């Protein structure tokens, strides 16, 4: 795996307030009922980041259930502890430093081992699933919430409604080349969610069930709710920072590793920035709308008793 120097914690640019609107709480409660999670007492959240998933999972379990989050970046661990204190959950959620490939826990330690948008960042997904299974008690559950990020490239907005077929194909080809480069660099497959049910089966997990998060990130003028305001600000913030999925430097690294040329990169990136500017202008004018579709799977498997 390539070692990447980071001024900021891994995924920091994805930890904005929009992450608080990723799930409908009643849908998670429904899954908790379907999967009979009322008996769960101990949970491990792998790749916990700043604790968004840990807190959400804790909130749909019995009040006696506790969640431990494991995260390699000490700055994120610190932030997760702070956020959890602020949410009044410090007694139920705690955090430790550690890597998914070598979880610092004994075999069979947890009733439930879970992760969200972790497996899209690891080089060896089967090895991490195996490790998650190891620390799950016999009969306990492994639950992964991971996307196919590629699907959202086909979702249109009011700003690109007249885009030509070649322009759309170029955008998709660019993103696929970057995705492929990310895999080649050992930094994970952004659309790994497609493979998880099969990989759970290969890891000898049973009772596998797959659902899709029923929440989308629609943007609808005049954006007059707290969620709409947060989503709109996130789009505008990305535009101000000149980001399109990734920063320019990240995208260049992935594109080159995926087989793209330097010359093509500059040309195509400029078009992405033109798109970002067009979208931002429509947002400022309150004319931008999209249903914001994506695929965010949630996959459950059981360690056999
Ligand atoms: C996109 S964030 C997801 C954070 C959190 N699960 C959530 O949904 O809010 C991915 C997190 O995985 C962590 N991560 C990356 N590689 C990891 C590894 N090999 N082991 C454990 N965590 C890792 C990163 O540091 C980052 O905090």
């Amino acid at each position: 795996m390539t070692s990447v120097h980071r001024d900021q914690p891994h995924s920091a640019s994805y930890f904005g307030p929009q992450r608080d609107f990723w799930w409908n709480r009643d849908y998670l409660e429904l899954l908790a009922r379907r999967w009979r999670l009322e008996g769960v007492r101990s949970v491990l959240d792998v790749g916990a980041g700043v604790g968004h998933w840990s807190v959400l999972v804790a909130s749909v379990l019995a009040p006696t259930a506790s969640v431990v989050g494991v995260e390699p970046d000490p700055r994120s661990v610190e932030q997760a502890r702070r956020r959890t204190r602020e949410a009044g959950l410090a007694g139920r959620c705690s955090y430790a430093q550690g890597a998914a490939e070598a979880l610092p826990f004994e075999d069979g330690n947890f009733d439930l081992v879970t992760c969200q948008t972790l497996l899209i960042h690891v080089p060896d997904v089967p090895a991490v699933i195996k490790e998650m299974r190891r620390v799950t008690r016999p009969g306990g559950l492994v639950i992964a919430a991971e996307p196919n990020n590629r699907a959202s490239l086909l979702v249109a907005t009011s700003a690109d409604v007249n885009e030509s077929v070649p322009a759309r194909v170029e955008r998709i080809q660019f993103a696929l080349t970057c995705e492929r480069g990310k895999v080649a660099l050992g930094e994970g497959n952004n659309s790994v969610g497609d493979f998880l049910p099969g990989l759970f089966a290969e890891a000898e997990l049973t009772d596998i069930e797959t659902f899709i998060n029923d929440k989308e990130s629609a943007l609808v003028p005049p954006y007059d709710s707290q969620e709409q305001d947060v989503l709109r600000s996130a789009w505008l913030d990305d535009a101000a920072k000149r980001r399109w999925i990734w920063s320019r430097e990240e995208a260049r690294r992935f594109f080159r590793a995926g087989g793209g040329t330097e010359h093509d990169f500059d040309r195509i990136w400029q078009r992405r920035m033109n798109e970002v500017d067009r979208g931002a202008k429509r947002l400022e004018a309150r004319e931008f709308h999209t249903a914001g579709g994506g695929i965010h799977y949630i996959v459950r498997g059981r360690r056999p008793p």
Side-chain angles (χ1 to χ4, degrees):
M1 178 170 168
T2 321
S3 160
V4 184
H5 169 73
R6 296 179 202 282
D7 293 332
Q8 290 218 309
H10 187 293
S11 301
S13 53
Y14 299 101
F15 289 153
Q18 73 275 21
R19 216 174 177 83
D20 289 325
F21 295 97
W22 270 18
W23 293 89
N24 285 317
R25 199 191 144 80
D26 59 354
Y27 178 71
L28 284 174
E29 286 167 353
L30 170 69
L31 286 184
R33 278 200 304 279
R34 274 188 194 163
W35 287 341
R36 303 216 156 95
L37 302 187
E38 67 274 5
V40 165
R41 291 291 172 272
S42 56
V43 182
L44 177 66
D45 175 19
V46 185
V50 300
H52 285 93
W53 186 235
S54 313
V55 166
L56 206 51
V57 170
S59 77
V60 298
L61 297 179
T64 44
S66 62
V67 181
V68 179
V70 165
E71 162 61 41
D73 192 304
R75 295 164 294 183
S76 292
V77 169
E78 217 23 70
Q79 213 186 322
R81 286 181 181 141
R82 184 163 48 73
R83 280 171 43 86
T84 300
R85 270 197 305 275
E86 285 165 7
L89 283 166
R92 293 185 58 200
C93 300
S94 59
Y95 299 90
Q97 224 181 313
E101 292 78 3
L103 294 168
F105 302 100
E106 312 251 300
D107 293 5
N109 213 58
F110 297 95
D111 295 333
L112 165 63
V113 178
T114 186
C115 65
Q116 172 173 259
T117 56
L118 160 75
L119 299 175
I120 56 170
H121 296 299
V122 303
D124 188 346
V125 175
V128 170
I129 295 173
K130 192 171 164 207
E131 187 61 358
M132 290 171 74
R133 181 190 191 275
R134 179 186 69 76
V135 298
T136 306
R137 72 163 167 77
L141 299 176
V142 177
I143 295 177
E146 300 281 339
N148 166 334
N149 277 320
R150 193 184 293 158
S152 56
L153 293 167
L154 280 173
V155 174
T157 73
S158 58
D160 60 28
V161 68
N162 293 320
E163 187 177 48
S164 70
V165 170
R168 189 165 292 258
V169 168
E170 181 201 73
R171 177 143 49 93
I172 293 171
Q173 192 167 1
F174 177 68
L176 293 185
T177 308
C178 293
E179 262 200 9
R180 173 187 278 216
K182 185 170 179 267
V183 172
L185 290 168
E187 294 179 41
N189 175 350
N190 265 14
S191 298
V192 80
D194 295 344
F195 302 115
L196 289 186
L199 292 176
F200 271 31
E202 283 175 19
E204 296 179 8
L205 292 166
T206 61
D207 297 350
I208 297 164
E209 283 190 344
T210 305
F211 299 108
I212 291 182
N213 183 347
D214 76 343
K215 184 77 196 292
E216 292 301 355
S217 301
L219 261 165
V220 190
Y223 323 116
D224 58 359
S225 65
Q226 190 201 358
E227 175 178 1
Q228 288 290 297
D229 189 48
V230 161
L231 287 180
R232 178 173 171 273
S233 302
W235 275 73
L236 291 175
D237 191 46
D238 268 0
K241 292 187 174 137
R242 317 309 289 149
R243 290 175 56 82
W244 183 83
I245 307 179
W246 304 282
S247 69
R248 181 190 178 99
E249 275 328 299
E250 237 174 354
R252 181 199 300 279
R253 214 162 51 75
F254 294 154
F255 184 72
R256 298 286 281 118
T261 67
E262 196 65 35
H263 174 259
D264 282 347
F265 178 82
D266 286 333
R267 196 169 44 80
I268 300 172
W269 184 258
Q270 187 51 50
R271 282 208 272 273
R272 300 292 71 77
M273 289 302 100
N274 295 344
E275 263 166 35
V276 162
D277 289 338
R278 271 198 303 278
K281 239 188 217 152
R282 300 288 291 267
L283 265 167
E284 301 278 20
R286 303 193 184 269
E287 292 169 356
F288 183 95
H289 58 86
T290 178
I295 300 181
H296 191 178
Y297 299 104
I298 182 154
V299 186
R300 179 209 66 177
R302 185 182 304 283
R303 179 173 174 175

